[in-house]
Amino acid sequence: MSDLHKEVSELERKSATAARLFDIRRIIGGLFVVYGVIVTIAGINPSDADLEKAEGVHINLWTGLAMLALGLFFLIWMKLRPAQVPDEAPGPPES
C-alpha cells in the first residue's frame, strides 16, 4: 500500500506541475512580451517615411510599450494567482 500511495502522490504532483506549466496566461504573456520588445525596438528610431505614414506619431514605439505592459500584466497575474488543480478529476456520470 505504501508504494501505491507514493505513486499516487507523485502523479498528483506531476499533474499540478503540468497545470501550472501550460497555464494560458504564461503563453499569452510570454508572446506579448517577446513581440512587444521587437516592436518597441523597431519604434525607437523610425524612418522619416514611417513617421509620415503615421502622421508624426511613433506608433511602433507606443504599440510596443503597450504590448510589453499587457504581457507583463499577464505574467504578474499568473504569479499572484497561480492555477489551482481540481481535487478530483470528473468521471463519467453514473446512471
PDB file of all heavy atoms in Angstrom, residues 14-31 71 73-85:
ATOM      1  N   LYS A  14       2.862  15.731 -10.369  1.00  0.00           N
ATOM      2  CA  LYS A  14       3.133  15.966 -11.796  1.00  0.00           C
ATOM      3  C   LYS A  14       1.953  16.651 -12.474  1.00  0.00           C
ATOM      4  O   LYS A  14       2.137  17.506 -13.335  1.00  0.00           O
ATOM      5  CB  LYS A  14       3.445  14.651 -12.498  1.00  0.00           C
ATOM      6  CG  LYS A  14       4.816  14.111 -12.184  1.00  0.00           C
ATOM      7  CD  LYS A  14       5.074  12.821 -12.931  1.00  0.00           C
ATOM      8  CE  LYS A  14       6.449  12.266 -12.605  1.00  0.00           C
ATOM      9  NZ  LYS A  14       6.703  10.987 -13.303  1.00  0.00           N
ATOM     10  N   SER A  15       0.745  16.293 -12.084  1.00  0.00           N
ATOM     11  CA  SER A  15      -0.446  16.911 -12.650  1.00  0.00           C
ATOM     12  C   SER A  15      -0.510  18.394 -12.290  1.00  0.00           C
ATOM     13  O   SER A  15      -0.839  19.235 -13.123  1.00  0.00           O
ATOM     14  CB  SER A  15      -1.699  16.197 -12.145  1.00  0.00           C
ATOM     15  OG  SER A  15      -2.848  16.845 -12.597  1.00  0.00           O
ATOM     16  N   ALA A  16      -0.196  18.718 -11.059  1.00  0.00           N
ATOM     17  CA  ALA A  16      -0.190  20.121 -10.637  1.00  0.00           C
ATOM     18  C   ALA A  16       0.888  20.898 -11.377  1.00  0.00           C
ATOM     19  O   ALA A  16       0.669  22.041 -11.792  1.00  0.00           O
ATOM     20  CB  ALA A  16       0.035  20.205  -9.128  1.00  0.00           C
ATOM     21  N   THR A  17       2.051  20.288 -11.578  1.00  0.00           N
ATOM     22  CA  THR A  17       3.129  20.952 -12.309  1.00  0.00           C
ATOM     23  C   THR A  17       2.721  21.193 -13.758  1.00  0.00           C
ATOM     24  O   THR A  17       2.970  22.270 -14.306  1.00  0.00           O
ATOM     25  CB  THR A  17       4.412  20.098 -12.250  1.00  0.00           C
ATOM     26  OG1 THR A  17       4.769  19.903 -10.892  1.00  0.00           O
ATOM     27  CG2 THR A  17       5.551  20.770 -12.978  1.00  0.00           C
ATOM     28  N   ALA A  18       2.088  20.216 -14.388  1.00  0.00           N
ATOM     29  CA  ALA A  18       1.642  20.372 -15.773  1.00  0.00           C
ATOM     30  C   ALA A  18       0.579  21.454 -15.889  1.00  0.00           C
ATOM     31  O   ALA A  18       0.569  22.223 -16.851  1.00  0.00           O
ATOM     32  CB  ALA A  18       1.114  19.046 -16.300  1.00  0.00           C
ATOM     33  N   ALA A  19      -0.319  21.544 -14.915  1.00  0.00           N
ATOM     34  CA  ALA A  19      -1.360  22.569 -14.950  1.00  0.00           C
ATOM     35  C   ALA A  19      -0.745  23.962 -14.871  1.00  0.00           C
ATOM     36  O   ALA A  19      -1.178  24.880 -15.574  1.00  0.00           O
ATOM     37  CB  ALA A  19      -2.342  22.365 -13.799  1.00  0.00           C
ATOM     38  N   ARG A  20       0.275  24.127 -14.038  1.00  0.00           N
ATOM     39  CA  ARG A  20       0.942  25.433 -13.942  1.00  0.00           C
ATOM     40  C   ARG A  20       1.775  25.725 -15.185  1.00  0.00           C
ATOM     41  O   ARG A  20       1.851  26.863 -15.638  1.00  0.00           O
ATOM     42  CB  ARG A  20       1.802  25.489 -12.689  1.00  0.00           C
ATOM     43  CG  ARG A  20       1.018  25.661 -11.422  1.00  0.00           C
ATOM     44  CD  ARG A  20       1.921  25.935 -10.229  1.00  0.00           C
ATOM     45  NE  ARG A  20       2.858  24.861  -9.966  1.00  0.00           N
ATOM     46  CZ  ARG A  20       2.586  23.795  -9.225  1.00  0.00           C
ATOM     47  NH1 ARG A  20       1.407  23.652  -8.700  1.00  0.00           N
ATOM     48  NH2 ARG A  20       3.496  22.865  -9.024  1.00  0.00           N
ATOM     49  N   LEU A  21       2.402  24.702 -15.744  1.00  0.00           N
ATOM     50  CA  LEU A  21       3.269  24.885 -16.908  1.00  0.00           C
ATOM     51  C   LEU A  21       2.484  25.326 -18.126  1.00  0.00           C
ATOM     52  O   LEU A  21       2.932  26.172 -18.885  1.00  0.00           O
ATOM     53  CB  LEU A  21       4.028  23.590 -17.200  1.00  0.00           C
ATOM     54  CG  LEU A  21       5.002  23.620 -18.365  1.00  0.00           C
ATOM     55  CD1 LEU A  21       6.131  24.601 -18.066  1.00  0.00           C
ATOM     56  CD2 LEU A  21       5.557  22.246 -18.618  1.00  0.00           C
ATOM     57  N   PHE A  22       1.308  24.760 -18.326  1.00  0.00           N
ATOM     58  CA  PHE A  22       0.522  25.066 -19.515  1.00  0.00           C
ATOM     59  C   PHE A  22      -0.582  26.072 -19.236  1.00  0.00           C
ATOM     60  O   PHE A  22      -1.590  26.097 -19.937  1.00  0.00           O
ATOM     61  CB  PHE A  22      -0.043  23.776 -20.108  1.00  0.00           C
ATOM     62  CG  PHE A  22       1.034  22.889 -20.656  1.00  0.00           C
ATOM     63  CD1 PHE A  22       1.365  21.714 -20.025  1.00  0.00           C
ATOM     64  CD2 PHE A  22       1.735  23.264 -21.786  1.00  0.00           C
ATOM     65  CE1 PHE A  22       2.370  20.906 -20.515  1.00  0.00           C
ATOM     66  CE2 PHE A  22       2.742  22.460 -22.284  1.00  0.00           C
ATOM     67  CZ  PHE A  22       3.057  21.280 -21.659  1.00  0.00           C
ATOM     68  N   ASP A  23      -0.392  26.907 -18.244  1.00  0.00           N
ATOM     69  CA  ASP A  23      -1.338  27.972 -17.957  1.00  0.00           C
ATOM     70  C   ASP A  23      -1.337  28.937 -19.142  1.00  0.00           C
ATOM     71  O   ASP A  23      -0.290  29.406 -19.589  1.00  0.00           O
ATOM     72  CB  ASP A  23      -0.918  28.691 -16.670  1.00  0.00           C
ATOM     73  CG  ASP A  23      -1.947  29.689 -16.186  1.00  0.00           C
ATOM     74  OD1 ASP A  23      -2.980  29.862 -16.853  1.00  0.00           O
ATOM     75  OD2 ASP A  23      -1.706  30.289 -15.119  1.00  0.00           O
ATOM     76  N   ILE A  24      -2.507  29.242 -19.677  1.00  0.00           N
ATOM     77  CA  ILE A  24      -2.618  30.064 -20.882  1.00  0.00           C
ATOM     78  C   ILE A  24      -2.084  31.476 -20.644  1.00  0.00           C
ATOM     79  O   ILE A  24      -1.606  32.129 -21.570  1.00  0.00           O
ATOM     80  CB  ILE A  24      -4.084  30.082 -21.397  1.00  0.00           C
ATOM     81  CG1 ILE A  24      -4.174  30.671 -22.801  1.00  0.00           C
ATOM     82  CG2 ILE A  24      -4.974  30.865 -20.466  1.00  0.00           C
ATOM     83  CD1 ILE A  24      -3.640  29.776 -23.852  1.00  0.00           C
ATOM     84  N   ARG A  25      -2.112  31.931 -19.402  1.00  0.00           N
ATOM     85  CA  ARG A  25      -1.581  33.269 -19.111  1.00  0.00           C
ATOM     86  C   ARG A  25      -0.082  33.331 -19.356  1.00  0.00           C
ATOM     87  O   ARG A  25       0.437  34.361 -19.776  1.00  0.00           O
ATOM     88  CB  ARG A  25      -1.895  33.656 -17.669  1.00  0.00           C
ATOM     89  CG  ARG A  25      -3.386  33.789 -17.400  1.00  0.00           C
ATOM     90  CD  ARG A  25      -3.664  34.021 -15.955  1.00  0.00           C
ATOM     91  NE  ARG A  25      -3.328  32.826 -15.190  1.00  0.00           N
ATOM     92  CZ  ARG A  25      -3.491  32.725 -13.889  1.00  0.00           C
ATOM     93  NH1 ARG A  25      -3.975  33.728 -13.194  1.00  0.00           N
ATOM     94  NH2 ARG A  25      -3.167  31.609 -13.256  1.00  0.00           N
ATOM     95  N   ARG A  26       0.616  32.228 -19.119  1.00  0.00           N
ATOM     96  CA  ARG A  26       2.055  32.185 -19.360  1.00  0.00           C
ATOM     97  C   ARG A  26       2.343  32.305 -20.855  1.00  0.00           C
ATOM     98  O   ARG A  26       3.237  33.039 -21.274  1.00  0.00           O
ATOM     99  CB  ARG A  26       2.639  30.887 -18.822  1.00  0.00           C
ATOM    100  CG  ARG A  26       4.129  30.722 -19.068  1.00  0.00           C
ATOM    101  CD  ARG A  26       4.627  29.370 -18.616  1.00  0.00           C
ATOM    102  NE  ARG A  26       4.265  29.095 -17.228  1.00  0.00           N
ATOM    103  CZ  ARG A  26       5.127  29.116 -16.223  1.00  0.00           C
ATOM    104  NH1 ARG A  26       6.385  29.343 -16.452  1.00  0.00           N
ATOM    105  NH2 ARG A  26       4.724  28.872 -15.004  1.00  0.00           N
ATOM    106  N   ILE A  27       1.574  31.611 -21.665  1.00  0.00           N
ATOM    107  CA  ILE A  27       1.779  31.621 -23.108  1.00  0.00           C
ATOM    108  C   ILE A  27       1.447  32.999 -23.680  1.00  0.00           C
ATOM    109  O   ILE A  27       2.237  33.582 -24.435  1.00  0.00           O
ATOM    110  CB  ILE A  27       0.935  30.517 -23.771  1.00  0.00           C
ATOM    111  CG1 ILE A  27       1.404  29.148 -23.283  1.00  0.00           C
ATOM    112  CG2 ILE A  27       1.009  30.608 -25.288  1.00  0.00           C
ATOM    113  CD1 ILE A  27       0.476  28.010 -23.608  1.00  0.00           C
ATOM    114  N   ILE A  28       0.291  33.540 -23.326  1.00  0.00           N
ATOM    115  CA  ILE A  28      -0.113  34.855 -23.840  1.00  0.00           C
ATOM    116  C   ILE A  28       0.848  35.932 -23.361  1.00  0.00           C
ATOM    117  O   ILE A  28       1.297  36.779 -24.144  1.00  0.00           O
ATOM    118  CB  ILE A  28      -1.558  35.180 -23.405  1.00  0.00           C
ATOM    119  CG1 ILE A  28      -2.533  34.243 -24.112  1.00  0.00           C
ATOM    120  CG2 ILE A  28      -1.903  36.634 -23.708  1.00  0.00           C
ATOM    121  CD1 ILE A  28      -3.953  34.362 -23.619  1.00  0.00           C
ATOM    122  N   GLY A  29       1.173  35.923 -22.079  1.00  0.00           N
ATOM    123  CA  GLY A  29       2.093  36.935 -21.538  1.00  0.00           C
ATOM    124  C   GLY A  29       3.460  36.853 -22.175  1.00  0.00           C
ATOM    125  O   GLY A  29       4.048  37.882 -22.529  1.00  0.00           O
ATOM    126  N   GLY A  30       3.974  35.649 -22.353  1.00  0.00           N
ATOM    127  CA  GLY A  30       5.289  35.493 -22.974  1.00  0.00           C
ATOM    128  C   GLY A  30       5.312  35.989 -24.404  1.00  0.00           C
ATOM    129  O   GLY A  30       6.255  36.676 -24.828  1.00  0.00           O
ATOM    130  N   LEU A  31       4.274  35.663 -25.174  1.00  0.00           N
ATOM    131  CA  LEU A  31       4.223  36.124 -26.571  1.00  0.00           C
ATOM    132  C   LEU A  31       4.118  37.643 -26.648  1.00  0.00           C
ATOM    133  O   LEU A  31       4.787  38.277 -27.473  1.00  0.00           O
ATOM    134  CB  LEU A  31       3.049  35.472 -27.297  1.00  0.00           C
ATOM    135  CG  LEU A  31       3.248  34.017 -27.693  1.00  0.00           C
ATOM    136  CD1 LEU A  31       1.967  33.448 -28.284  1.00  0.00           C
ATOM    137  CD2 LEU A  31       4.389  33.890 -28.691  1.00  0.00           C
ATOM    138  N   GLY A  71       1.725  42.114 -21.657  1.00  0.00           N
ATOM    139  CA  GLY A  71       2.420  40.854 -21.400  1.00  0.00           C
ATOM    140  C   GLY A  71       2.876  40.745 -19.957  1.00  0.00           C
ATOM    141  O   GLY A  71       2.725  39.698 -19.317  1.00  0.00           O
ATOM    142  N   PHE A  73       1.528  42.279 -17.444  1.00  0.00           N
ATOM    143  CA  PHE A  73       0.317  42.122 -16.641  1.00  0.00           C
ATOM    144  C   PHE A  73      -0.077  40.650 -16.539  1.00  0.00           C
ATOM    145  O   PHE A  73      -0.385  40.155 -15.453  1.00  0.00           O
ATOM    146  CB  PHE A  73      -0.830  42.944 -17.243  1.00  0.00           C
ATOM    147  CG  PHE A  73      -2.173  42.594 -16.675  1.00  0.00           C
ATOM    148  CD1 PHE A  73      -2.543  43.019 -15.410  1.00  0.00           C
ATOM    149  CD2 PHE A  73      -3.071  41.819 -17.402  1.00  0.00           C
ATOM    150  CE1 PHE A  73      -3.780  42.674 -14.884  1.00  0.00           C
ATOM    151  CE2 PHE A  73      -4.302  41.478 -16.885  1.00  0.00           C
ATOM    152  CZ  PHE A  73      -4.666  41.911 -15.625  1.00  0.00           C
ATOM    153  N   PHE A  74      -0.080  39.944 -17.671  1.00  0.00           N
ATOM    154  CA  PHE A  74      -0.444  38.531 -17.660  1.00  0.00           C
ATOM    155  C   PHE A  74       0.537  37.716 -16.815  1.00  0.00           C
ATOM    156  O   PHE A  74       0.124  36.824 -16.066  1.00  0.00           O
ATOM    157  CB  PHE A  74      -0.490  37.965 -19.087  1.00  0.00           C
ATOM    158  CG  PHE A  74      -1.828  38.124 -19.751  1.00  0.00           C
ATOM    159  CD1 PHE A  74      -2.070  39.176 -20.613  1.00  0.00           C
ATOM    160  CD2 PHE A  74      -2.839  37.217 -19.522  1.00  0.00           C
ATOM    161  CE1 PHE A  74      -3.284  39.326 -21.237  1.00  0.00           C
ATOM    162  CE2 PHE A  74      -4.076  37.350 -20.133  1.00  0.00           C
ATOM    163  CZ  PHE A  74      -4.300  38.415 -20.995  1.00  0.00           C
ATOM    164  N   LEU A  75       1.823  37.990 -16.937  1.00  0.00           N
ATOM    165  CA  LEU A  75       2.815  37.226 -16.179  1.00  0.00           C
ATOM    166  C   LEU A  75       2.727  37.511 -14.683  1.00  0.00           C
ATOM    167  O   LEU A  75       2.859  36.598 -13.855  1.00  0.00           O
ATOM    168  CB  LEU A  75       4.212  37.515 -16.713  1.00  0.00           C
ATOM    169  CG  LEU A  75       4.466  37.041 -18.153  1.00  0.00           C
ATOM    170  CD1 LEU A  75       5.842  37.478 -18.623  1.00  0.00           C
ATOM    171  CD2 LEU A  75       4.299  35.543 -18.275  1.00  0.00           C
ATOM    172  N   ILE A  76       2.487  38.752 -14.316  1.00  0.00           N
ATOM    173  CA  ILE A  76       2.335  39.105 -12.893  1.00  0.00           C
ATOM    174  C   ILE A  76       1.056  38.486 -12.337  1.00  0.00           C
ATOM    175  O   ILE A  76       1.046  37.958 -11.222  1.00  0.00           O
ATOM    176  CB  ILE A  76       2.362  40.632 -12.708  1.00  0.00           C
ATOM    177  CG1 ILE A  76       3.771  41.161 -13.001  1.00  0.00           C
ATOM    178  CG2 ILE A  76       1.908  41.031 -11.309  1.00  0.00           C
ATOM    179  CD1 ILE A  76       3.857  42.664 -13.096  1.00  0.00           C
ATOM    180  N   TRP A  77      -0.005  38.523 -13.132  1.00  0.00           N
ATOM    181  CA  TRP A  77      -1.276  37.913 -12.729  1.00  0.00           C
ATOM    182  C   TRP A  77      -1.083  36.420 -12.464  1.00  0.00           C
ATOM    183  O   TRP A  77      -1.596  35.871 -11.494  1.00  0.00           O
ATOM    184  CB  TRP A  77      -2.300  38.154 -13.818  1.00  0.00           C
ATOM    185  CG  TRP A  77      -3.663  37.562 -13.603  1.00  0.00           C
ATOM    186  CD1 TRP A  77      -4.257  37.250 -12.415  1.00  0.00           C
ATOM    187  CD2 TRP A  77      -4.594  37.226 -14.613  1.00  0.00           C
ATOM    188  NE1 TRP A  77      -5.518  36.734 -12.638  1.00  0.00           N
ATOM    189  CE2 TRP A  77      -5.751  36.712 -13.982  1.00  0.00           C
ATOM    190  CE3 TRP A  77      -4.582  37.319 -15.988  1.00  0.00           C
ATOM    191  CZ2 TRP A  77      -6.854  36.279 -14.684  1.00  0.00           C
ATOM    192  CZ3 TRP A  77      -5.693  36.899 -16.692  1.00  0.00           C
ATOM    193  CH2 TRP A  77      -6.810  36.390 -16.035  1.00  0.00           C
ATOM    194  N   MET A  78      -0.320  35.773 -13.330  1.00  0.00           N
ATOM    195  CA  MET A  78      -0.067  34.347 -13.167  1.00  0.00           C
ATOM    196  C   MET A  78       0.707  34.072 -11.871  1.00  0.00           C
ATOM    197  O   MET A  78       0.439  33.101 -11.179  1.00  0.00           O
ATOM    198  CB  MET A  78       0.720  33.822 -14.372  1.00  0.00           C
ATOM    199  CG  MET A  78       0.982  32.343 -14.331  1.00  0.00           C
ATOM    200  SD  MET A  78       2.148  31.853 -15.578  1.00  0.00           S
ATOM    201  CE  MET A  78       3.617  32.675 -15.017  1.00  0.00           C
ATOM    202  N   LYS A  79       1.665  34.936 -11.546  1.00  0.00           N
ATOM    203  CA  LYS A  79       2.450  34.753 -10.320  1.00  0.00           C
ATOM    204  C   LYS A  79       1.615  34.995  -9.071  1.00  0.00           C
ATOM    205  O   LYS A  79       1.745  34.291  -8.081  1.00  0.00           O
ATOM    206  CB  LYS A  79       3.662  35.700 -10.307  1.00  0.00           C
ATOM    207  CG  LYS A  79       4.758  35.289 -11.219  1.00  0.00           C
ATOM    208  CD  LYS A  79       5.457  34.089 -10.674  1.00  0.00           C
ATOM    209  CE  LYS A  79       6.650  33.756 -11.522  1.00  0.00           C
ATOM    210  NZ  LYS A  79       7.252  32.511 -11.174  1.00  0.00           N
ATOM    211  N   LEU A  80       0.752  36.015  -9.115  1.00  0.00           N
ATOM    212  CA  LEU A  80      -0.041  36.365  -7.939  1.00  0.00           C
ATOM    213  C   LEU A  80      -1.187  35.392  -7.698  1.00  0.00           C
ATOM    214  O   LEU A  80      -1.560  35.141  -6.547  1.00  0.00           O
ATOM    215  CB  LEU A  80      -0.596  37.787  -8.073  1.00  0.00           C
ATOM    216  CG  LEU A  80       0.444  38.906  -8.055  1.00  0.00           C
ATOM    217  CD1 LEU A  80      -0.227  40.250  -8.277  1.00  0.00           C
ATOM    218  CD2 LEU A  80       1.222  38.900  -6.756  1.00  0.00           C
ATOM    219  N   ARG A  81      -1.769  34.845  -8.768  1.00  0.00           N
ATOM    220  CA  ARG A  81      -2.887  33.912  -8.643  1.00  0.00           C
ATOM    221  C   ARG A  81      -2.593  32.659  -9.455  1.00  0.00           C
ATOM    222  O   ARG A  81      -3.070  32.501 -10.580  1.00  0.00           O
ATOM    223  CB  ARG A  81      -4.182  34.555  -9.151  1.00  0.00           C
ATOM    224  CG  ARG A  81      -4.474  35.874  -8.505  1.00  0.00           C
ATOM    225  CD  ARG A  81      -5.650  36.017  -7.690  1.00  0.00           C
ATOM    226  NE  ARG A  81      -6.592  34.946  -7.639  1.00  0.00           N
ATOM    227  CZ  ARG A  81      -7.857  35.134  -7.393  1.00  0.00           C
ATOM    228  NH1 ARG A  81      -8.307  36.341  -7.243  1.00  0.00           N
ATOM    229  NH2 ARG A  81      -8.682  34.136  -7.302  1.00  0.00           N
ATOM    230  N   PRO A  82      -1.776  31.755  -8.931  1.00  0.00           N
ATOM    231  CA  PRO A  82      -1.417  30.549  -9.693  1.00  0.00           C
ATOM    232  C   PRO A  82      -2.624  29.659  -9.952  1.00  0.00           C
ATOM    233  O   PRO A  82      -3.631  29.725  -9.246  1.00  0.00           O
ATOM    234  CB  PRO A  82      -0.394  29.847  -8.804  1.00  0.00           C
ATOM    235  CG  PRO A  82      -0.477  30.482  -7.486  1.00  0.00           C
ATOM    236  CD  PRO A  82      -1.169  31.792  -7.631  1.00  0.00           C
ATOM    237  N   ALA A  83      -2.499  28.837 -10.993  1.00  0.00           N
ATOM    238  CA  ALA A  83      -3.584  27.922 -11.367  1.00  0.00           C
ATOM    239  C   ALA A  83      -3.799  26.898 -10.260  1.00  0.00           C
ATOM    240  O   ALA A  83      -2.850  26.373  -9.694  1.00  0.00           O
ATOM    241  CB  ALA A  83      -3.247  27.228 -12.671  1.00  0.00           C
ATOM    242  N   GLN A  84      -5.050  26.622  -9.975  1.00  0.00           N
ATOM    243  CA  GLN A  84      -5.408  25.640  -8.970  1.00  0.00           C
ATOM    244  C   GLN A  84      -5.803  24.348  -9.664  1.00  0.00           C
ATOM    245  O   GLN A  84      -6.586  24.363 -10.600  1.00  0.00           O
ATOM    246  CB  GLN A  84      -6.572  26.140  -8.113  1.00  0.00           C
ATOM    247  CG  GLN A  84      -6.262  27.402  -7.355  1.00  0.00           C
ATOM    248  CD  GLN A  84      -5.180  27.209  -6.316  1.00  0.00           C
ATOM    249  OE1 GLN A  84      -5.105  26.174  -5.670  1.00  0.00           O
ATOM    250  NE2 GLN A  84      -4.331  28.206  -6.168  1.00  0.00           N
ATOM    251  N   VAL A  85      -5.261  23.258  -9.195  1.00  0.00           N
ATOM    252  CA  VAL A  85      -5.599  21.952  -9.744  1.00  0.00           C
ATOM    253  C   VAL A  85      -6.813  21.427  -9.004  1.00  0.00           C
ATOM    254  O   VAL A  85      -6.851  21.456  -7.772  1.00  0.00           O
ATOM    255  CB  VAL A  85      -4.414  20.979  -9.585  1.00  0.00           C
ATOM    256  CG1 VAL A  85      -4.754  19.618 -10.144  1.00  0.00           C
ATOM    257  CG2 VAL A  85      -3.184  21.540 -10.250  1.00  0.00           C
TER     258      VAL A  85
END
